[in-house]
Amino acid sequence: MTARLFLISLLEIVNMKAFIVLLALAFAAPAFGRTMNRCSLAREMANLGVPRDQLNKWTCIAEHESSYRTGVVGPENYNGSNDYGIFQINDYYWCQPANGRFSYNECALSCNALLTDDITNSVRCAQKIQRQQGWTAWSTWKYCNGALPSINDCF
């Protein structure tokens, strides 16, 4: 009988641990960001004051950089840096990585601020990059430099 009670107690512990893990994952889910689409991104960027004639370029970059996902951290680059968020902004130049590694942090923000559902920080930092370096700052610009579909159907 004690072996049976031991097994029951063990199963209860395993079930409780599984519940705790699932609960933790449920609370962590918002940290993974959200997936937008071309039109939701265009509308949100327009609401943030991004000029309408740039929206098709920004949506193209976001499509090719992150598949419109806000919570993406790219794989390590050749220099050990990573790229963050919907526009894949590099942590060596533009944001401060959480691990404390050196960054010029030109956008004066934590890289984690580029991974949230609120894209304001990503948009403002991306606009700064574009003003300083132009559209070619994004390696995916080659897919966006030319005739792009209109975003008019999004409004």
Side-chain angles (χ1 to χ4, degrees):
M1 191 69 159
T2 55
R4 184 170 182 243
L5 287 176
F6 173 76
L7 285 174
I8 291 171
S9 295
L10 186 60
L11 284 173
E12 288 174 355
I13 292 170
V14 169
N15 284 337
M16 182 57 77
K17 285 183 180 181
F19 174 75
I20 291 170
V21 168
L22 289 174
L23 189 62
L25 288 173
F27 281 113
F32 297 128
R34 67 177 164 146
T35 300
M36 302 180 81
N37 62 45
R38 184 173 160 271
C39 286
S40 64
L41 177 60
R43 285 190 298 269
E44 201 160 323
M45 290 185 77
N47 289 340
L48 290 169
V50 175
R52 196 158 174 164
D53 66 342
Q54 293 182 359
L55 293 176
N56 60 351
K57 295 174 182 73
W58 287 117
T59 57
C60 181
I61 288 169
E63 175 185 9
H64 292 286
E65 289 289 347
S66 67
S67 300
Y68 302 112
R69 295 175 295 153
T70 64
V72 175
V73 178
E76 190 172 291
N77 295 310
Y78 72 93
N79 63 356
S81 67
N82 290 93
D83 302 323
Y84 290 77
I86 196 163
F87 299 113
Q88 289 294 277
I89 294 172
N90 186 268
D91 67 6
Y92 185 71
Y93 299 103
W94 303 105
C95 64
Q96 182 61 56
N99 66 8
R101 183 176 60 236
F102 172 80
S103 172
Y104 289 101
N105 195 10
E106 290 290 320
C107 289
L109 49 79
S110 161
C111 295
N112 289 336
L114 302 173
L115 301 175
T116 66
D117 289 354
D118 180 352
I119 64 168
T120 304
N121 287 318
S122 292
V123 170
R124 298 295 177 240
C125 188
Q127 287 179 304
K128 181 174 187 163
I129 295 166
Q130 194 277 329
R131 281 192 306 274
Q132 288 187 17
Q133 297 184 358
W135 297 108
T136 57
W138 286 271
S139 61
T140 57
W141 176 244
K142 61 187 170 207
Y143 304 111
C144 307
N145 184 17
L148 295 171
S150 169
I151 48 87
N152 289 337
D153 59 329
C154 298
F155 294 91

